[in-house]
Amino acid sequence: MLYNAFNGQLNTDGTVMDYIKFGSGPRNLIMIPGLGDGLKTVKGLALPMAFMYREFAKDFTVWTFSRKQPLETDATTRTMAADLARAMESLGIGSACILGVSQGGMIAQWLALDFPDLVGKLLLVVTSAEPNDVLRTSIAEWISCIQQGAHVA
C-alpha cells in the first residue's frame, strides 16, 4: 500500500467519524483540520494527503480526523476535543504530537487541557484560544456565502 495510506471510519452512538492514516513512523502525529472540515471531510483523502505530507511518513504515523457526523447543534470545540479523545482511545492511539489548524487549533488546546496524557507535543497553526469579533464576523460571512451557494468545497 503506497505510503501505508488508509481511509477509515469510526461508528459510535449513531454517529460516524471519518479519519485517514498514513506513514509508518514510530511516533503518532494527529492533524486536526479547521472549520472547512464541516464542508468537506477527510473521507477518501488518505492517498492525496499521504503524498502531500510524505516527508512526515517516515518519522510518524499520521492521523487526521474529521468531526463526527451528525455533529450536535450545541457542539463546542471542547466537546469536539472529547470526541477526538474517544476516537484516539478506540484506535489505540496513546500520546501523540498534535497539530491543530484554525478551528482545529482550538480543539487541540482543549485536548491538551482536558486530556494531557494524549498530547506529547502541541503545534498550533493560524488559530486562537477563542473566537474574537474578527473571527465571528468572518464566520458569519462564510455561512452567508454557503447559504447563498457561493462557496465551493
Side-chain angles (χ1 to χ4, degrees):
M1 189 177 340
L2 191 58
Y3 302 116
N4 292 321
F6 176 78
N7 293 290
Q9 188 176 74
L10 293 172
N11 297 290
T12 322
D13 300 326
T15 66
V16 296
M17 181 183 276
D18 294 316
Y19 70 92
I20 60 173
K21 174 185 173 186
F22 63 88
S24 57
R27 297 182 294 164
N28 287 306
L29 169 64
I30 294 179
M31 298 169 46
I32 309 171
L35 188 61
D37 182 70
L39 299 173
K40 176 150 178 58
T41 70
V42 298
K43 185 175 185 173
L45 296 179
L47 192 54
M49 289 283 287
F51 179 75
M52 189 174 352
Y53 295 101
R54 64 189 172 276
E55 290 298 317
F56 296 148
K58 63 180 179 255
D59 296 322
F60 294 96
T61 298
V62 183
W63 305 78
T64 302
F65 293 86
S66 284
R67 313 302 183 262
K68 70 180 184 180
Q69 298 295 325
L71 189 62
E72 298 88 359
T73 56
D74 62 346
T76 65
T77 51
R78 191 172 205 169
T79 60
M80 292 176 204
D83 293 339
L84 178 57
R86 281 190 295 280
M88 290 173 69
E89 180 182 357
S90 175
L91 293 168
I93 304 169
S95 181
C97 298
I98 307 293
L99 186 156
V101 179
S102 190
Q103 184 188 48
M106 295 176 184
I107 296 167
Q109 291 172 73
W110 282 117
L111 188 70
L113 285 169
D114 292 342
F115 305 93
D117 55 317
L118 296 180
V119 181
K121 294 188 181 202
L122 180 63
L123 177 61
L124 303 172
V125 181
V126 193
T127 192
S128 66
E130 61 185 27
N132 57 29
D133 290 339
V134 172
L135 187 54
R136 283 186 194 92
T137 301
S138 296
I139 291 172
E141 289 176 14
W142 298 339
I143 290 170
S144 176
C145 287
I146 292 166
Q147 289 170 337
Q148 296 172 21
H151 181 275
V152 178

